[in-house]
Amino acid sequence: MHRVVSAEIDLETAASVDLIFQIATRADVPLASESLTFSQDVDPVELIAADGTRYHRIRSLEGRLEVRYTAVVQTQDAPSPTSDVELITYMRPSRYSESDILFGQARRQFRGLAGAELVQAVADYVSESLAYTSGASNGTDSAATILPKGQGVCRDYTHSVVALLRAMDVPARYTACYAPGLVPMDFHAVAEAYLDGAWHVIDATRLANRRGLVRIATGVDAAACAWLSYHGGSVSLKRLQVDAEADAPLADDDHTALVQIA
Amino acid sequence: MHRVVSAEIDLETAASVDLIFQIATRADVPLASESLTFSQDVDPVELIAADGTRYHRIRSLEGRLEVRYTAVVQTQDAPSPTSDVELITYMRPSRYSESDILFGQARRQFRGLAGAELVQAVADYVSESLAYTSGASNGTDSAATILPKGQGVCRDYTHSVVALLRAMDVPARYTACYAPGLVPMDFHAVAEAYLDGAWHVIDATRLANRRGLVRIATGVDAAACAWLSYHGGSVSLKRLQVDAEADAPLADDDHTALVQIA
Amino acid sequence: MHRVVSAEIDLETAASVDLIFQIATRADVPLASESLTFSQDVDPVELIAADGTRYHRIRSLEGRLEVRYTAVVQTQDAPSPTSDVELITYMRPSRYSESDILFGQARRQFRGLAGAELVQAVADYVSESLAYTSGASNGTDSAATILPKGQGVCRDYTHSVVALLRAMDVPARYTACYAPGLVPMDFHAVAEAYLDGAWHVIDATRLANRRGLVRIATGVDAAACAWLSYHGGSVSLKRLQVDAEADAPLADDDHTALVQIA
Amino acid sequence: MHRVVSAEIDLETAASVDLIFQIATRADVPLASESLTFSQDVDPVELIAADGTRYHRIRSLEGRLEVRYTAVVQTQDAPSPTSDVELITYMRPSRYSESDILFGQARRQFRGLAGAELVQAVADYVSESLAYTSGASNGTDSAATILPKGQGVCRDYTHSVVALLRAMDVPARYTACYAPGLVPMDFHAVAEAYLDGAWHVIDATRLANRRGLVRIATGVDAAACAWLSYHGGSVSLKRLQVDAEADAPLADDDHTALVQIA
């Protein structure tokens, strides 16, 4: 299976500003080809985190900036292994996945469950507790504010799953990804739970076919996986178009089963 | 049925301070006798709110203050009716019952339910979502912080029930009360829901026999029903002993049924 | 001085719904004339709270509803006195003015201040801590969330002032009002602090001339003073136009001085 | 200058449990000697994070566990350099340092400041906004909840400094450390701000002499630097004794100046 993923981003900046993009696939994703271009004459720096997440940093000029990314993704083998230090990180509360606040609720709700059964129970609980609603949440919402609200988008579902899993001592991370077949097409986010030496994907929104996902960034939560961060100025987004296609149909995704992505 | 209720409160104050007690029964509770005494030579003022809640206010001297309250309560007739303005008040979000924050969660959780069925579903939900745990919550906790925590005491159960009911357009209030038979004996708090022209009592802790309850204060939440408030100084509580007894055994309380108290 | 105040409200409802308006002036505001009309054939009920706030309640039909309110306000005498029970209410934390959460911050920030000096210090502090920004806050924001955000509108300024004053043992309330000369014209909100037997107006936004204000509703916070509340359905606001004019120019408002409104 | 640091920790566990200690000095701290012992027959694993933080992980047996750590620290040379990826991490909001929530407040409070002047202004602001109070805060408190409370301990001061710096685009991290001369002696926490290629230490509590500090762990906030974490069981702390001494007197610490520690 080949997948073609792309992002077209048009920005306006009133002044020169530092921009960090997380739109390229993780370093362990096997690519047939890849291209990242900027309309301004800038000199992008690629940084690769220990976990394989790639950052592209530029200093923009004032004015319009058009960013184009596209990659052809091959069938993946196993992803790079996760270090023990990383796993410790994924047990901790984080900004948007406050497992410390949700500890009591999780312990009560999921008492006696472990392993795959626990992961599935958390996925089902979040899926039933939230209604997918654009615009109901904002950038400072987190697991602890979303569960009382009962509404959110993929970011919020993922934060809730991650927080509840960590409260149950399961290492869990946030994964930003390209999702072939997603409607409406956009950047997507899912949770991953570490069980028996491998990461299992949870999409509590039930919107994506997990086998088609292509990882961009993995991290503690959305704070670590933003497709754009900037410092020292402001940025206006003029256009964002994300695309992701697979060259073969994907088998239906049964969200009651565990799935890994390579 | 007669009930004897009492509170013994010993305080120390480092300086003169304004104290407001809400320990006497509501004005519409029929009493055979009542006594409220203060060990200091103070001149208590009784204030009665429109809803019948009574306040006793004194200006303490420096030093030790012993307060003794006791009342013999007769079988009550119907309580005083609730005004339309009061009912509007009991539909609003309040400090510890933030129905505005819990709106989405409530609408999702209790979709399609109304009337007694809704009230019962809210009571069951809160009862199952929280574990009764002394010391797990504090004075700034509210419905929106307790449900994620999953632990609390009678105050927290009541705030959660009240908030969820208001989010579903059911007028709901917080009632501080004496509770004959409560173990361990203490001031108690329950929720009341307004349905078909009457208040129905919900004790999501399932700890009290609702038919024995004697109302002290009713209000929007614990902020309106504190047994002691003070201003302009600090107070140290040395001893608190609450007692409440009924002279006849109470029929078992079936918490799946609605109950009013007169 | 005469003032003419008015509100024009156009709504659409998908089904019959209960609507409660707080757009008429408080019962103690002396009026030369007043008119409240509804485009639908409904039967409004007027409720008057103990503090003089008036509610107009109707059961709307499905469809468009046009509400027109106008009043000619005469020079006011002293407003109705405030009961001791009311004053107790205005010392408590409320939904959007959480004086319990801000207690430590207030005690530290305003240590040693009392009376008019304290009230002025709180007004200055809030005025300097917030930037007036439309759209930066939302309906679940409160004093405890706005002060960290540093941005808000008149509602948020008022909640912050009220919370900090209560934390310092000063009774404080939220007042929704018509504000002649306000730019842009809209419903306005200010705080009132109770000092020496009278209410003093604080407008930490510095946008209104306090002497021109006409009280609509007074209450613990915005939860008690919404110009529209509804239950049992949803409502879409199509148009809102507020007007307020004084027939004589108002002396400049020196916000470093205390002002009462009659 | 030599410093001797030590920690004695006695725990009780009801069952076998995974324990992770962060009590040993960072890998880049030059040591004359070091010892870490456990009273149970366990096999500790040492993990070293990319930034030099060391973890010691064991699986405890049921019963009492006594942990003894001591190290003799030599005068340090420059610490290990910080990678670009790490710096990106230290610009993000984290669990206890929510720079996203405090963004507006920080931008308003520190407008126009940069570099050393900004760092000093943030340190002063936090120092003046909080009162050092044991027991006023708890483990779920964070910058956004502590600043309204106005009270906290070293953890809370550090979280507030870190959050405000990040909101101003200054990379900032949390550093757990041994602090010779601290009264009362305990584990300590300070903030570090990255300016001109080096980390500068901020102790808004003003309690420690910064030149004497010995780094244990550095991370996004207290979630990354806990001296003990455990999973899969519960742990009871029976005794904790921390010691830190320098063999030469330290010059007085002028907290209005920037200080680096090697």
Side-chain angles (χ1 to χ4, degrees), chain C residues 15 56 82 101 137 233:
Chain C
H56 293 92
T82 302
I101 293 180
S137 58

Side-chain angles (χ1 to χ4, degrees), chain C residues 89-122:
Chain C
T89 303
Y90 291 136
M91 303 281 272
R92 294 173 183 153
S94 66
R95 170 65 188 93
Y96 302 115
S97 290
E98 309 100 323
S99 45
D100 53 338
I101 293 180
L102 296 172
F103 185 83
Q105 181 182 19
R107 293 279 153 167
R108 183 164 184 79
Q109 188 80 34
F110 306 112
R111 178 174 301 170
L113 300 179
E117 198 183 12
L118 169 62
V119 171
Q120 206 54 55
V122 168

Side-chain angles (χ1 to χ4, degrees), chain A residues 126-194:
Chain A
V126 172
S127 190
E128 286 155 22
S129 297
L130 301 181
Y132 193 95
T133 317
S134 293
S137 58
N138 60 51
T140 56
D141 272 311
S142 61
T145 67
I146 279 298
L147 287 169
K149 276 193 185 177
Q151 301 179 80
V153 294
C154 62
R155 177 185 189 278
D156 306 303
Y157 281 78
T158 300
H159 286 151
S160 302
V161 168
V162 167
L164 293 168
L165 286 172
R166 290 181 190 161
M168 297 302 289
D169 287 330
V170 177
R173 69 184 185 188
Y174 184 102
T175 296
C177 51
Y178 291 101
L182 187 68
V183 178
M185 178 53 64
D186 201 346
F187 287 122
H188 196 49
V190 295
E192 291 190 270
Y194 196 79

Side-chain angles (χ1 to χ4, degrees), chain B residues 3-258:
Chain B
R3 285 156 292 177
V4 181
V5 302
S6 65
E8 304 193 359
I9 301 167
D10 296 350
L11 304 172
E12 289 272 348
T13 63
S16 178
V17 61
D18 284 319
L19 302 172
I20 301 169
F21 293 92
Q22 293 184 77
I23 55 177
T25 60
R26 255 172 69 114
D28 58 350
V29 173
L31 300 177
S33 67
E34 181 180 44
S35 159
L36 174 61
T37 64
F38 298 88
S39 65
Q40 297 181 353
D41 182 19
V42 292
D43 193 23
V45 174
E46 178 172 276
L47 303 170
I48 306 185
D51 70 358
T53 297
R54 291 190 290 163
Y55 302 88
H56 292 93
R57 187 161 68 182
I58 65 163
R59 174 98 194 153
S60 81
L61 310 177
E62 178 191 331
R64 187 177 187 85
L65 171 66
E66 298 180 358
V67 185
R68 300 291 178 265
Y69 176 75
T70 188
V72 178
V73 181
Q74 297 177 290
T75 300
Q76 292 177 247
D77 299 325
S80 54
T82 302
S83 75
D84 285 345
V85 169
E86 248 188 283
L87 287 179
I88 288 175
T89 303
Y90 291 135
M91 303 281 273
R92 294 173 181 154
S94 65
R95 170 63 188 94
Y96 301 115
S97 290
E98 308 102 322
S99 44
D100 53 339
I101 293 180
L102 297 173
F103 185 82
Q105 181 182 18
R107 292 280 154 167
R108 184 165 182 77
Q109 188 81 34
F110 306 112
R111 178 174 300 167
L113 300 180
E117 197 183 13
L118 169 62
V119 171
Q120 206 54 55
V122 168
D124 290 347
Y125 177 76
V126 172
S127 190
E128 286 155 22
S129 296
L130 301 180
Y132 194 95
T133 317
S134 294
S137 58
N138 61 51
T140 57
D141 272 311
S142 61
T145 67
I146 279 297
L147 287 169
K149 277 194 185 175
Q151 301 179 81
V153 294
C154 63
R155 176 187 190 277
D156 306 302
Y157 282 78
T158 300
H159 286 151
S160 302
V161 168
V162 166
L164 292 168
L165 286 171
R166 290 179 189 163
M168 297 301 289
D169 287 331
V170 177
R173 69 185 184 187
Y174 184 101
T175 296
C177 51
Y178 291 102
L182 187 67
V183 178
M185 178 52 65
D186 201 346
F187 287 122
H188 196 50
V190 295
E192 293 190 270
Y194 196 79
L195 275 189
D196 302 325
W199 290 104
H200 301 270
V201 183
I202 300 141
D203 182 357
T205 69
R206 315 300 204 205
L207 291 177
N209 190 312
R210 291 172 293 170
R211 283 184 191 81
L213 299 176
V214 177
R215 285 191 192 90
I216 301 170
T218 47
V220 293
D221 59 26
C225 303
W227 60 265
L228 173 62
S229 309
Y230 51 89
H231 301 286
S234 66
V235 171
S236 170
L237 177 64
K238 296 302 179 186
R239 193 172 75 94
L240 170 65
Q241 185 175 325
V242 177
D243 279 300
E245 279 180 45
D247 67 351
L250 295 160
D252 277 355
D253 192 345
D254 169 11
H255 283 277
T256 66
L258 288 181

Side-chain angles (χ1 to χ4, degrees), chain D residues 16-29:
Chain D
S16 179
V17 59
D18 284 319
L19 302 172
I20 300 170
F21 293 92
Q22 292 185 79
I23 56 177
T25 60
R26 253 172 70 113
D28 59 350
V29 173

